[in-house]
Amino acid sequence: MINRPKIIFFDIDDTLYIKSENRILDSTKIALKQLKEQNIIIAIATGRGIGVFPSCVHELVKEIGIEIFVTINGQYNEYRGQVLVDFPLTPTQILQATEQLIGGNIAYGYMTKDEIIGFNQNNHMACALTSLNIPYRIADDFDMSTPIYQILAFYENNKTANIRLNHTLKTFRWHLSGVDILDKDGSKARGIRSVLDKLGLNMADAWAFGDGFNDIEMLSSVGFGVAMGNAPNAVKAVADHICPNHTDDGIYQGLKDLGLIQ
């Protein structure tokens, strides 16, 4: 028997949001409103920071009344506009990774809670960030007292980057030219677990929908994980259920098939 959720976490890119069309389906909005009417909490769990959400996602947040955000792969998490729990990188992690990226002549960026600041810009950076409609700015310097939650590196998928990262760091590739660098213990799952602890809920109370490699830990850790039909096989393999593609009313149909909405 499937546990009825108290809260459902949704990934953004190619789950809630069709990035190739820069829009959210009307059927998705209908589905979320039906969940809200049943007092099921709706939350977002994304690799993005809130400051680089697509405009249509900001509009969805207001329309639906979403208040919980697990962002930057669980490293910065908000509830009702206030930080609930966060996990910034340490100065040692930042310095070591930055030195390696500069030494390898690799474009990179720092992700704060509000923005992405890019350095050593090249075509890989522009291609990866533009493909997801992610705003960023290029800077010559940076106030290192600002918390950095993740580092982005930009190099080709078929290229072995000439870098050796600290053993406390790990990577996720999210684009042919883009890689996330974060703490080895960092994940959406850790962010969700920490948020739920603060709210007096547990992982069994939570469902999640996602499509990317950075969703694997999330889908396998919550009470019930749903992979989008457009997800890679490795993501589908850890899910409890597979719904249709994000472009084929996936969220609406998945929730309907699971008996949560009409």
Side-chain angles (χ1 to χ4, degrees):
M1 174 127 181
I2 301 172
N3 286 339
R4 187 173 181 80
K6 295 180 180 178
I7 184 169
I8 303 179
F9 292 86
F10 293 92
D11 171 53
I12 289 180
D13 291 291
D14 288 340
T15 298
L16 280 177
Y17 168 65
I18 303 174
K19 64 187 180 188
S20 63
E21 301 174 10
N22 192 26
R23 70 187 182 104
I24 295 170
L25 295 177
D26 288 340
S27 66
T28 298
K29 298 176 184 179
I30 291 169
L32 298 186
K33 288 176 182 177
Q34 287 194 36
L35 292 176
K36 197 79 183 275
E37 289 168 358
Q38 299 175 60
N39 295 316
I40 295 173
I41 301 169
I42 299 165
I44 283 177
T46 178
R48 292 179 182 252
I50 294 174
V52 295
F53 282 9
S55 58
C56 61
V57 173
H58 282 298
E59 292 167 6
L60 180 73
V61 165
K62 292 179 181 178
E63 183 176 347
I64 304 298
I66 301 173
E67 298 179 320
I68 297 174
F69 303 93
V70 171
T71 72
I72 316 179
N73 289 314
Q75 313 319 296
Y76 180 83
N77 311 290
E78 276 193 7
Y79 177 53
R80 294 182 174 174
Q82 300 296 319
V83 59
L84 196 60
V85 59
D86 67 341
F87 304 96
L89 293 172
T90 67
T92 298
Q93 288 174 318
I94 296 165
L95 178 61
Q96 191 272 342
T98 301
E99 288 178 344
Q100 288 289 308
L101 293 167
I102 292 173
N105 195 30
I106 294 170
Y108 67 96
Y110 293 149
M111 184 176 284
T112 72
K113 74 180 185 68
D114 296 316
E115 63 176 344
I116 294 172
I117 301 93
F119 303 88
N120 195 24
Q121 181 176 221
N122 62 14
N123 289 336
H124 297 310
M125 177 186 290
C127 175
L129 295 177
T130 302
S131 74
L132 293 179
N133 299 306
I134 295 176
Y136 65 100
R137 66 180 177 90
I138 302 300
D140 294 325
D141 55 15
F142 179 76
D143 180 359
M144 295 303 293
S145 67
T146 305
I148 297 168
Y149 294 96
Q150 190 166 274
I151 297 173
L152 306 179
F154 301 96
Y155 55 90
E156 291 176 310
N157 191 34
N158 60 0
K159 173 186 174 182
T160 300
N162 187 26
I163 56 174
R164 293 189 177 185
L165 294 174
N166 187 297
H167 70 280
T168 66
L169 297 169
K170 66 180 178 181
T171 63
F172 281 120
R173 181 167 287 279
W174 50 271
H175 187 274
L176 290 175
S177 298
V179 171
D180 290 335
I181 301 173
L182 64 157
D183 184 86
K184 70 177 180 62
D185 294 324
S187 69
K188 292 183 182 182
R190 180 175 72 168
I192 288 172
R193 186 175 290 108
S194 300
V195 166
L196 294 178
D197 284 345
K198 295 285 187 180
L199 298 177
L201 299 172
N202 57 54
M203 294 296 268
D205 296 320
W207 286 21
F209 282 67
D211 75 291
F213 291 113
N214 62 337
D215 294 320
I216 288 176
E217 288 170 286
M218 173 178 75
L219 296 182
S220 59
S221 299
V222 296
F224 195 82
V226 181
M228 306 302 293
N230 46 284
N233 288 335
V235 179
K236 292 177 180 177
V238 304
D240 299 294
H241 180 79
I242 300 170
C243 68
N245 286 13
H246 64 312
T247 54
D248 297 326
D249 301 318
I251 288 177
Y252 178 89
Q253 193 61 50
L255 291 168
K256 184 176 180 182
D257 291 344
L258 290 165
L260 286 187
I261 64 172
Q262 300 296 316

